[in-house]
Amino acid sequence: MKKYIYILASVLALTAVSCTEKLDSVNQLGALGTDPFYANANDSEADALISSIYTSVWSQRINNFSQMTDDVVWNDVYKTYNNDTFLSGPISTCGLSFTTLYQINYKANMIIERLADDTAAKKRVIAEAYFMRAWAYYYLIMGWGTPPLVDHVLNSDELQPSNGTADELWNYVQSSLDEAIKGLPSKSGLGGQKALGARVTAETAKALKGKAYLAAGDKANAATYLKQVIDSGKYKLLDDYSALFTLPADWSDEYLWEYNASDSDEDMRSTEARMSHSNYVWRGENVVTPGGVHLTGFNQGYEQDFPSKSFYDFLVARGEIGTPRQKGNVWTFEEAAAKFIELAGDEYKDSPNYEGDNVNPLLAAGMTPEQAGMYLLWEGFVQPALDQCQGYLGTKYYIWHSDMYTATNDKDLYSKANFPVFRYADVLLLYAEATLDSQAGLSAFNQVRTRAGMPTVSSYTLKDIQDERRAEFFFEGERFWDCRRWGIDAEAFKEVGKYTYKTLGDPSTYTVSVESEIVSNWVGYDSKYKLFPYPTTEMTNNPNLNQNPGW
């Protein structure tokens, strides 16, 4: 008989589909009848089970959180205050995130409780499951504050749990990470991650443990675990900030955890890390990426997340213009146009990113380099307008032609670059915050600044940490959590959504201008946005669940 598991009144299907293989032999997906399968699973089947969780984490990581920022102008974010969905609309509703995170926890608990630990491979999978449920609950706590604690696979009489307490929830995260650390491998040293594959390590768990302690306000324990990662000597920053999220950064010592994209043109794109050209590249019917793929009729890009003027002005005030970090986060239209001219140089002739074939005919026809670059950027000024753009173009997830699979059809427009989930720069800045203005913290702080192209400092304050994290982790999903932790969210987000914008290209002057319009019924940031609302279905089906304040 099939008995389906309901977690917080949501039907959870155990979709055990690997990033590279399918678990076809599970005959009752989502049912308690899978117990015999777990008990008798071989090493390959155990790997498929944990791979299913990695897949769920990937979908959550790339789809959510990054838009929760004041540093990006986004079509939905900048229209949301007037309809009371600042936090739910931009992340495809809070309910999707809530359900996905509980699915991850459920799958992890199934592995922990039911998978035999009779081989080294299975022990590693169980340790990974402990990590994954801690990761899921870290974000459940961050998002909802006191969500129900589900520390085991629920029985039929346990399907309406009440809100957890902060202490028991954080303890669940930390105790799960303790178990993960016991069973996870460590990489052998610098350059050792590729041998372990795109899987978490003991150091990944220690880093998350430190991050969770800091979120809970325990700086001493945060510093302890973050220092263990630093002292391991197994991680260091990538030399060039602007190379992050590109192919040369794969398996770098900056990545504590990354999603792998096979370099083979023969592999299925849909099963890889999937940095999609259509999702991460500027809107192709309006503007063209220098050094990107220019194929008529192909899905050139639907990216609608553009850096805000306030973020660029912030970089200007810090003296970051011209640094690798500025170039790796944001370009002006003039910088993007100039990139076409740079890539037309003879030194790029053998590179897929070469733009000489596009630039040189325009120069020969009498255009200046500035005119040629702007003409190519605006794709001949066919549709010279970008909605919700303040005159700046994002480069954090830039997809170079040289990073892409050989394109034979629309589905091939993906980058081969791995996608980092946890960077060593985060460890260093979290440690600097936990040990504020200590000599050890100063050393960690200056490492990040030096790589960014900024001068070192002799001391630092919490405000310095706030600014450094804002610059370092632009559009990586950290901004909202950081601002709330520091208690500056109301100030940081006070004008989000107040205006809509449009950047226009002028074919007569080869310049750009920006139009703005105030949003009708805009109301501004509300204190209730500090926590997400529990989904309506959960509130309807679980009378023991208390809604967060203001919702």
Side-chain angles (χ1 to χ4, degrees), residues 67-384:
Q67 287 91 2
M68 294 161 50
T69 175
D70 54 322
D71 291 331
V72 167
V73 185
W74 192 68
N75 271 349
D76 287 342
V77 172
Y78 271 65
K79 297 177 181 177
T80 50
Y81 276 135
N82 60 334
N83 63 10
D84 209 24
T85 57
F86 170 62
L87 295 178
S88 57
I91 56 173
S92 303
T93 77
C94 289
L96 175 60
S97 297
F98 188 83
T99 300
T100 300
L101 292 169
Y102 271 104
Q103 286 175 338
I104 291 168
N105 183 69
Y106 164 67
K107 291 179 184 181
N109 282 334
M110 286 288 286
I111 290 173
I112 291 166
E113 295 179 20
R114 287 156 166 72
L115 183 67
D117 63 348
D118 51 4
T119 68
K122 293 180 194 176
K123 291 179 188 293
R124 180 182 181 181
V125 165
I126 292 170
E128 287 173 298
Y130 274 113
F131 175 91
M132 293 303 177
R133 77 178 193 180
W135 184 91
Y137 258 90
Y138 172 83
Y139 282 107
L140 282 166
I141 297 168
M142 295 297 284
W144 288 269
T146 56
L149 175 61
V150 181
D151 59 0
H152 61 282
V153 178
L154 299 181
N155 296 315
S156 60
D157 59 350
E158 299 178 294
L159 302 182
Q160 295 180 334
S162 59
N163 300 72
T165 67
D167 285 346
E168 67 182 1
L169 290 166
W170 283 121
N171 181 65
Y172 181 63
V173 171
Q174 297 296 356
S175 61
S176 296
L177 290 170
D178 286 337
E179 292 301 317
I181 291 168
K182 291 178 186 176
L184 288 172
S186 295
K187 67 176 188 174
S188 58
L190 293 173
Q193 185 63 48
K194 190 172 184 179
L196 296 177
R199 302 173 74 169
V200 295
T201 65
E203 283 68 38
T204 318
K206 290 176 182 178
L208 180 58
K209 194 169 174 66
K211 191 168 189 171
Y213 269 127
L214 189 61
D218 187 343
K219 293 183 179 180
N221 272 316
T224 296
Y225 285 94
L226 294 166
K227 187 175 187 297
Q228 288 181 22
V229 179
I230 295 170
D231 289 349
S232 73
K234 297 176 180 180
Y235 299 91
K236 66 177 183 178
L237 298 175
L238 190 69
D239 290 339
D240 182 3
Y241 180 94
S242 64
L244 293 167
F245 297 90
T246 69
L247 195 57
D250 283 8
W251 310 115
S252 73
D253 292 309
E254 174 146 2
Y255 294 175
L256 277 79
W257 177 15
E258 63 198 285
Y259 275 84
N260 181 37
S262 170
D263 292 346
S264 171
D265 283 326
E266 304 304 317
D267 283 3
M268 290 293 293
R269 314 296 181 259
S270 61
T271 62
E272 305 296 348
R274 297 199 306 162
M275 282 182 67
S276 166
H277 197 272
S278 62
N279 292 333
Y280 285 98
V281 174
W282 318 324
R283 294 191 65 85
E285 68 269 32
N286 305 102
V287 288
V288 174
T289 53
V293 175
H294 315 314
L295 296 173
T296 303
F298 275 63
N299 195 341
Q300 290 293 292
Y302 292 128
E303 180 58 69
Q304 302 179 73
D305 307 318
F306 297 103
S308 65
K309 184 177 185 299
S310 64
F311 179 70
Y312 192 82
D313 290 345
F314 161 75
L315 295 180
V316 171
R318 283 172 53 81
E320 293 219 19
I321 303 307
T323 64
R325 186 156 64 188
Q326 177 254 311
K327 294 176 181 178
N329 282 326
V330 54
W331 288 343
T332 63
F333 273 72
E334 291 74 19
E335 287 174 312
K339 185 62 70 172
F340 278 101
I341 309 305
E342 177 187 337
L343 293 172
D346 289 344
E347 65 271 31
Y348 293 98
K349 274 191 173 180
D350 295 328
S351 169
N353 307 331
Y354 180 61
E355 292 287 358
D357 294 337
N358 296 313
V359 170
N360 292 333
L362 298 178
L363 297 180
M367 283 189 183
T368 67
E370 293 77 12
Q371 291 171 337
M374 197 65 74
Y375 181 89
L376 289 170
L377 177 62
W378 281 110
E379 201 170 6
F381 293 97
V382 176
Q383 296 186 60

